[in-house]
Amino acid sequence: MAFPNLFFILSLAMVLSLSSYIHVSLAARHLLDTPAAPPPALTVPTIPSLPKPTLPTFSPLPSLPTLPKAALPPLPSVPTLPKATLPPLPSVPTLPKATLPTLPTNPTLQPLPSSQVPSLPKPALPTLPTTPKVTLPPLPANPILPTFPTTIPSIPTIPSIPFFSPPPSN
């Protein structure tokens, strides 16, 4: 008996949902059939006028009392100093004109007698003995100077860490 009750409840729920669907669809169709109402006219709200600001009135400021004019004592007169007069400079005595003695004139020199210098005999240069050709032995290797390698060593590769490598694909 449990099944017929359950069947009845399910069919009733189905009929109710179907009827509500029909009502909704009829309501939508009814809306489509009605003529569209014109949109309401937009009205701009009026802004109320603000009151005019008024400045506060103040009482007039009291007048400043007039101060008595201070009478300054007269300044003492500056005494006039006598004009300084400098004594006249002594005159520089004029020196007598120096007269230079006349220099004696150069006597004319007699030309030197031409004398012939005897030419000296040219000595013969001595012949130099010839030196034998000497061959030097090769230089020994110098232990002081370092020897540099001519090849660049290769850099060893870093082994991979399995933690950082991706897992193998199966």
Side-chain angles (χ1 to χ4, degrees):
M1 284 264 234
F3 280 117
N5 286 343
L6 182 62
F7 181 73
F8 177 74
I9 291 173
L10 285 176
S11 15
L12 183 64
M14 208 167 177
V15 167
L16 286 176
S17 68
L18 187 61
S19 72
S20 71
Y21 175 73
I22 291 171
H23 287 298
V24 169
S25 110
L26 285 176
R29 171 167 271 181
H30 177 66
L31 281 176
L32 287 174
D33 291 339
T34 58
L42 296 176
T43 59
V44 179
T46 58
I47 299 173
S49 61
L50 297 174
K52 281 277 189 193
T54 57
L55 295 176
T57 57
F58 296 109
S59 62
L61 294 174
S63 63
L64 293 174
T66 57
L67 296 175
K69 188 77 172 174
L72 295 176
L75 292 174
S77 63
V78 178
T80 57
L81 297 176
K83 185 80 173 171
T85 57
L86 294 175
L89 292 174
S91 63
V92 178
T94 58
L95 295 176
K97 185 80 172 175
T99 58
L100 296 174
T102 59
L103 293 175
T105 60
N106 284 338
T108 58
L109 296 175
Q110 296 293 329
L112 292 175
S114 65
S115 62
Q116 292 264 337
V117 178
S119 62
L120 297 174
K122 293 183 180 177
L125 293 175
T127 59
L128 294 175
T130 60
T131 57
K133 183 85 174 173
V134 178
T135 58
L136 295 174
L139 292 174
N142 195 350
I144 297 172
L145 296 176
T147 58
F148 295 106
T150 56
T151 60
I152 299 173
S154 63
I155 300 172
T157 58
I158 300 171
S160 64
I161 301 171
F163 177 73
F164 293 121
S165 62
S169 62
N170 290 336

